Amino acid sequence: MTTLRKKTMVLALAGILTTQLAACGTIFYPERKGQRSGRIDPVVAIADGVGLLFFLVPGVIAFAVDFSNGTIYLPGGRAEHQPKLTPDNINDTLYTATGKTIDWSQQNITVSQLEGAHDFTGYNMTPAQG
C-alpha cells in the first residue's frame, strides 16, 4: 500500500511542478498572450501563488512567465484599447509620421487600415495646402 501511495504522491508532485513551470495563465488562457497590461486575473494569480506556497522557485517562474507572456491579465485591458478615430486624430498621426495631411472636404476619399508606415508606399499623397 505504501508503494501505491508513494507513486501517487510522486505523480501528483510531478504534475503540480510541471504546471507551475509552464505557468498557469499560459496553460489556462493561451489566447491572452501578448497583452501588455490591465487588471490581473485572480484565478491565474492564485494558481501561481499556490506554486509560491509549496515550491518557491517554480512559483516565481510561473509568475515571471505569466507576466512576460501577458496571460496573467484579464482581457479588455489597456492592450486592447483602441483610440477613438476622428479626422483630426488621423491627420495628427499622419502628419507626425509623414509630414502630410488629408483634406477631408474632398469627395473621393478612400479609408483603409494599414499595418505600418511601410504600407504608405504607392499612395499618391501630397501635403495639404493651407
Side-chain angles (χ1 to χ4, degrees):
M1 191 67 156
T2 56
T3 306
L4 180 60
R5 178 181 254 173
K6 189 174 181 179
K7 285 182 180 181
T8 304
M9 291 296 286
V10 167
L11 285 174
L13 182 65
I16 291 170
L17 193 61
T18 302
T19 302
Q20 290 301 314
L21 284 174
C24 292
T26 305
I27 292 172
F28 295 159
Y29 308 106
E31 68 276 2
R32 291 185 186 175
K33 283 185 180 180
Q35 295 187 110
R36 292 190 182 102
S37 62
R39 292 180 34 225
I40 293 178
D41 186 349
V43 172
V44 176
I46 290 170
D48 287 347
V50 169
L52 280 175
L53 289 175
F54 294 113
F55 316 102
L56 182 66
V57 173
V60 170
I61 291 172
F63 269 110
V65 169
D66 282 343
F67 273 107
S68 67
N69 285 341
T71 54
I72 198 165
Y73 301 114
L74 287 168
R78 283 182 257 147
E80 296 178 5
H81 173 70
Q82 296 293 326
K84 184 177 179 181
L85 291 179
T86 64
D88 291 334
N89 290 349
I90 294 171
N91 262 344
D92 291 343
T93 304
L94 185 63
Y95 186 76
T96 302
T98 65
K100 299 177 182 183
T101 59
I102 297 172
D103 179 11
W104 292 100
S105 63
Q106 297 176 21
Q107 293 296 322
N108 58 351
I109 294 178
T110 303
V111 178
S112 60
Q113 183 174 353
L114 305 174
E115 296 297 319
H118 64 279
D119 290 336
F120 282 116
T121 58
Y123 287 92
N124 186 15
M125 298 177 61
T126 58
Q129 304 297 322

